[in-house]
Amino acid sequence: MGYAHAMRDEVDDLSEAWAHERPDLDLGPVEIFSRLSRLSRHLDLARRDAFSTSGIESWEFDVLAALRRAGDPYELSPGRLLRETLVTSGTMTNRVDRLAARGLVERLPDPADRRGVLVRLTPDGKATVDSAFEALLAAEREFLAGLSGDQQSQLTDLLRRLLVPFSG
Amino acid sequence: MGYAHAMRDEVDDLSEAWAHERPDLDLGPVEIFSRLSRLSRHLDLARRDAFSTSGIESWEFDVLAALRRAGDPYELSPGRLLRETLVTSGTMTNRVDRLAARGLVERLPDPADRRGVLVRLTPDGKATVDSAFEALLAAEREFLAGLSGDQQSQLTDLLRRLLVPFSG
DNA sequence: TCGGTTTCTCTTGACGTCAAGATATCTTGA
DNA sequence: TCAAGATATCTTGACGTCAAGAGAAACCGA
């Protein structure tokens, strides 16, 4: 356990370079947020990899997963979907078009609102997203190999503290 | 101190929904990586805000900061810049074009390699990136308001452990 | 010294996203 | 009942990125 003192990553180099150029600044935030950004990028690549085995792309998973989480009958409005996935309406129209063309979702008229549409997971879409989610979890578990169970809990707690102000 | 038990964020909802639909899966990784992704998105927005005060965009800062960190005379090759910022060569050509048009960098022939070019920060570019970096640090410090100094150190250490496998 | 390979930068074409706007429908209050 | 505003979805045009490849120059082993 430990060896923290011996570990060095790319951000240590970056931070050291900044410290040399701007010794007047406190670089504490950089140590955290540069790592967070870079991890997020690496994570995106790992996700892409994991999903390619299941034959889908990351954006497809984002939409399918939102529908899957909604539970039976696995349907949400485009508006709800774009709020869940943080994209604009034009993007969501395009995504649903392509997912429908692949047979992973279908568009239904909303019986309660004639302006509205419901996007529903097909059986094929459900099988696809379930298999992709399992592949994702496996890939993410590898990502976490360097952390003990305790450390994983600590990290979860610390990240939640940062995220809470944005939730609500 | 504490109150961790009382905190709840958007990922707790997401995770709960998954747990309801897939009680057979261990969702530990989701608790960490969904938060990491979302924090990264919020961070991007905060960066954009911070930079808009200095009159630049995030992608401009990324390039200018790499040059600034290089130290006097603040010049790097396009190839080095694209490796630092993780974009493709076509993208870097476009970025340097636009930064040069704004007078923040200039292109010089590389005296040591006639294929090559050096991108150098202008005095204007240096002043711009310095002011933007200070604004960024201020914004990031606010982001960290919910964490004690000890917690910030813990988080830095845990993130470094995750990042080390990708460095080197 | 010469030929093949590597390295460096820029160009091109396709694609996904966004912002703004159009259209259709619903809701609300007078 | 009706008009005004809100809401839901789709359409359009512009833009930045990427992947692939072209062209020029450098490197290196024979």
Side-chain angles (χ1 to χ4, degrees):
Chain A
M1 218 125 322
Y3 299 113
H5 60 287
M7 289 204 280
R8 189 172 177 82
D9 66 10
E10 52 196 73
V11 174
D12 287 314
D13 296 338
L14 180 152
S15 179
E16 204 171 279
W18 271 121
H20 184 261
E21 292 297 317
R22 297 298 306 272
D24 56 316
L25 298 177
D26 167 22
L27 299 172
V30 167
E31 296 272 346
I32 290 179
F33 292 115
S34 291
R35 289 191 172 87
L36 214 140
S37 279
R38 279 157 197 262
L39 280 170
S40 177
R41 226 171 356 219
H42 290 302
L43 179 62
D44 281 345
L45 294 176
R47 275 166 50 105
R48 191 173 316 172
D49 254 33
F51 291 145
S52 75
T53 307
S54 307
I56 64 172
E57 299 181 43
S58 298
W59 65 265
E60 294 181 296
F61 178 81
D62 290 339
V63 177
L64 297 178
L67 294 169
R68 180 65 182 83
R69 282 198 306 273
D72 199 27
Y74 311 116
E75 54 188 31
L76 293 173
S77 70
R80 179 76 187 281
L81 277 174
L82 64 90
R83 281 187 293 278
E84 295 257 345
T85 57
L86 302 181
V87 298
T88 59
S89 64
T91 298
M92 188 52 68
T93 297
N94 182 13
R95 289 185 175 188
V96 172
D97 283 350
R98 284 180 283 160
L99 285 169
R102 287 196 55 187
L104 300 177
V105 306
E106 53 190 345
R107 248 189 266 249
L108 309 168
D110 182 342
D113 184 341
R114 263 183 298 178
R115 294 168 304 179
V117 168
L118 291 176
V119 180
R120 180 192 291 169
L121 216 49
T122 63
D124 225 50
K126 188 188 173 202
T128 298
V129 69
D130 275 349
S131 121
F133 189 47
E134 290 164 31
L136 175 64
L137 283 174
E140 291 185 340
R141 224 171 275 123
E142 290 219 11
F143 224 90
L144 285 175
L147 260 50
S148 70
D150 265 10
Q151 289 173 327
Q152 294 180 28
S153 304
Q154 272 179 41
L155 181 53
T156 299
D157 180 55
L158 290 168
L159 293 176
R160 185 189 285 107
R161 284 170 191 272
L162 287 181
L163 197 55
V164 159
F166 300 100
S167 308
Chain B
M1 218 124 324
Y3 298 113
H5 59 287
M7 289 203 281
R8 191 171 174 81
D9 66 9
E10 53 196 72
V11 173
D12 287 314
D13 296 338
L14 180 152
S15 179
E16 203 171 278
W18 271 122
H20 183 261
E21 292 297 317
R22 297 298 307 271
D24 56 316
L25 298 176
D26 166 24
L27 298 172
V30 167
E31 296 273 347
I32 290 178
F33 292 115
S34 292
R35 289 189 172 88
L36 214 140
S37 279
R38 279 156 197 260
L39 279 170
S40 177
R41 230 177 346 226
H42 290 301
L43 178 63
D44 281 346
L45 295 176
R47 276 166 50 104
R48 191 173 316 173
D49 254 33
F51 291 146
S52 75
T53 307
S54 308
I56 63 172
E57 300 181 44
S58 297
W59 66 264
E60 294 181 296
F61 179 80
D62 290 339
V63 178
L64 298 177
L67 293 169
R68 181 65 181 83
R69 281 198 307 272
D72 198 27
Y74 310 116
E75 55 188 32
L76 292 173
S77 69
R80 178 76 187 281
L81 276 174
L82 65 89
R83 281 187 291 278
E84 294 258 344
T85 57
L86 302 181
V87 299
T88 60
S89 64
T91 298
M92 188 52 69
T93 297
N94 182 12
R95 289 185 174 187
V96 173
D97 283 351
R98 284 179 284 161
L99 285 169
R102 287 196 54 188
L104 300 177
V105 306
E106 53 191 345
R107 251 189 264 250
L108 309 168
D110 183 341
D113 185 339
R114 262 182 299 177
R115 294 168 304 179
V117 167
L118 290 177
V119 180
R120 179 192 293 169
L121 215 49
T122 63
D124 225 51
K126 188 188 174 202
T128 299
V129 69
D130 276 347
S131 122
F133 189 46
E134 290 165 31
L136 175 64
L137 282 174
E140 290 185 341
R141 225 170 276 123
E142 290 219 10
F143 223 91
L144 285 175
L147 260 51
S148 70
D150 265 10
Q151 289 173 326
Q152 294 182 26
S153 303
Q154 272 178 42
L155 181 54
T156 299
D157 180 55
L158 291 168
L159 293 176
R160 184 187 288 107
R161 283 171 191 273
L162 287 180
L163 197 55
V164 160
F166 299 100
S167 307

